[in-house]
Amino acid sequence: MDEGLTIGQVSERTGLSVHALRYYEREGLMLGSVSRSHGGRRRYDATDVDWLLLCNRFRACGMPVSDIRRYAELVAAGPGNESERLELLRAHEDRVRAEVAQMQENLTVIAAKARLYEQHIAAGSAGTLWTGEAPSCLALEAMAARR
Amino acid sequence: MDEGLTIGQVSERTGLSVHALRYYEREGLMLGSVSRSHGGRRRYDATDVDWLLLCNRFRACGMPVSDIRRYAELVAAGPGNESERLELLRAHEDRVRAEVAQMQENLTVIAAKARLYEQHIAAGSAGTLWTGEAPSCLALEAMAARR
DNA sequence: GTAAGATCTAGAGTTCGCTCTAGGTCAAGG
DNA sequence: CCTTGACCTAGAGCGAACTCTAGATCTTAC
């Protein structure tokens, strides 16, 4: 009954599977190697959990495992490389901003299509009005249907 | 020299590789099978290209290939299933909205971290102020560095 | 006619991020 | 002491979405 959290407890707290936690460690994503109990089991501390929650954020916005490893290495190396860390964060920030913008643009197209289908369906079950005078956004489906 | 575009031309216009185009067809993502020239080569028309551009949007916001196939099947089946198409679009729309919201939240955390690193770096190269009084958002890195 | 280059098919291979298996070890309760 | 269940390592396997290979065929230009 040592100090610290077991891998199972950390799994619950982070939502990562125990397999994923071992994988993250193997891949060098932890800030140094996780400490072990007398019997050789992993014992995580609060910092480990916080770090893993941050990793979850990184992963959730598409940061590759290799970039997280790089960031972890910089942090583990201690003070003196803050500008490198910043560069990595900024690069990721930019990528995510671009991706969000892209997704929002695509979302408007998809939403527009959905709204048009709603109107079409609401306007009655007749397929008659549909083919031929479909607005540009549904012209594709209309044409395809005509084949 | 038949009508229509070759796979190479469509590749240029859509950004999809010729391999990906053949893969999409095999996977049932096209609205029916692409027509062929006398010699057995694919000939795409404008509708195919428009459809592929739409597929690109779908893919760019994370719609799985299997969902696109489903949507393609519905469109290819012709009028009468508009509410199913709508359901699929709406489900995807909701997922993307949630994902965008999540990404934006993560983005604020990452951006905050980046801003703090900027301040730290701007405040002079001293690592002294750093450890110990780091704001909450960088406490993790500070603690890790202290090990 | 012939050489080059685009395309064809079927199927194998790749990358990413886990996930699972096998065969043990360790810790706690009865 | 024995059982049960969480944990260990090393390494194989998996699903998604392509990507590439091999060997054949088609098209075009000279």
Side-chain angles (χ1 to χ4, degrees):
Chain A
M1 192 187 285
D2 319 41
E3 275 302 288
L5 300 163
T6 67
I7 197 170
Q9 290 170 322
V10 173
S11 172
E12 280 169 20
R13 269 154 235 229
T14 60
L16 292 159
S17 72
V18 296
H19 298 293
L21 288 169
R22 291 192 275 248
Y23 166 73
Y24 276 21
E25 188 178 354
R26 248 183 293 149
E27 290 297 302
L29 266 56
M30 300 307 290
L31 304 168
S33 54
V34 176
S35 61
R36 299 300 179 113
S37 74
H38 168 65
R41 276 124 191 259
R42 291 173 181 80
R43 289 298 134 138
Y44 295 83
D45 62 24
T47 304
D48 292 320
V49 173
D50 288 346
W51 172 253
L52 286 165
L53 293 172
L54 179 60
C55 289
N56 276 347
R57 284 192 189 278
F58 283 154
R59 292 287 308 118
C61 49
M63 188 185 281
V65 162
S66 55
D67 283 10
I68 301 181
R69 171 168 42 231
R70 178 79 188 120
Y71 191 74
E73 282 164 1
L74 291 171
V75 173
N81 57 25
E82 285 80 5
S83 52
E84 276 189 79
R85 298 183 206 177
L86 175 57
E87 198 181 341
L88 211 156
L89 287 176
R90 266 195 196 142
H92 184 57
E93 193 187 335
D94 291 350
R95 262 182 287 130
V96 177
R97 277 193 206 292
E99 199 182 330
V100 167
Q102 174 69 74
M103 286 181 82
Q104 277 171 334
E105 189 192 317
N106 293 335
L107 198 49
T108 65
V109 173
I110 291 164
K113 265 182 126 54
R115 297 303 86 79
L116 284 168
Y117 270 111
E118 280 166 11
Q119 283 169 30
H120 168 64
I121 290 166
S125 47
T128 35
L129 308 149
W130 190 233
T131 309
E133 55 170 328
S136 61
C137 201
L138 292 175
L140 176 56
E141 276 93 332
M143 290 189 64
R146 226 178 288 134
R147 297 199 196 181
Chain B
M1 193 188 282
D2 319 40
E3 276 301 288
L5 300 163
T6 67
I7 197 170
Q9 290 169 323
V10 173
S11 172
E12 279 169 20
R13 270 153 234 229
T14 60
L16 292 159
S17 72
V18 295
H19 298 293
L21 288 169
R22 290 193 276 248
Y23 166 73
Y24 276 21
E25 188 179 353
R26 248 182 293 148
E27 291 297 301
L29 266 57
M30 300 306 292
L31 304 168
S33 54
V34 176
S35 61
R36 300 298 181 116
S37 74
H38 168 66
R41 277 125 190 255
R42 291 172 181 81
R43 288 298 132 136
Y44 295 83
D45 62 23
T47 304
D48 293 320
V49 173
D50 288 347
W51 171 253
L52 287 164
L53 293 173
L54 178 60
C55 289
N56 276 347
R57 284 192 190 278
F58 283 154
R59 291 287 308 116
C61 49
M63 188 186 280
V65 162
S66 56
D67 284 9
I68 301 181
R69 172 170 40 232
R70 178 78 189 121
Y71 191 74
E73 283 165 1
L74 290 171
V75 172
N81 57 25
E82 285 80 5
S83 51
E84 276 189 78
R85 299 183 205 177
L86 175 56
E87 197 181 341
L88 212 156
L89 288 176
R90 264 194 196 143
H92 184 58
E93 192 187 335
D94 291 350
R95 263 181 287 129
V96 176
R97 277 194 205 292
E99 199 182 331
V100 167
Q102 174 69 74
M103 285 182 83
Q104 277 171 334
E105 189 192 317
N106 293 336
L107 198 49
T108 66
V109 173
I110 291 163
K113 264 183 126 55
R115 297 303 86 77
L116 284 168
Y117 269 112
E118 279 166 11
Q119 282 168 31
H120 167 64
I121 291 166
S125 46
T128 36
L129 306 150
W130 190 233
T131 310
E133 56 169 329
S136 62
C137 200
L138 290 175
L140 176 57
E141 276 93 333
M143 290 190 63
R146 227 178 286 136
R147 296 202 198 180

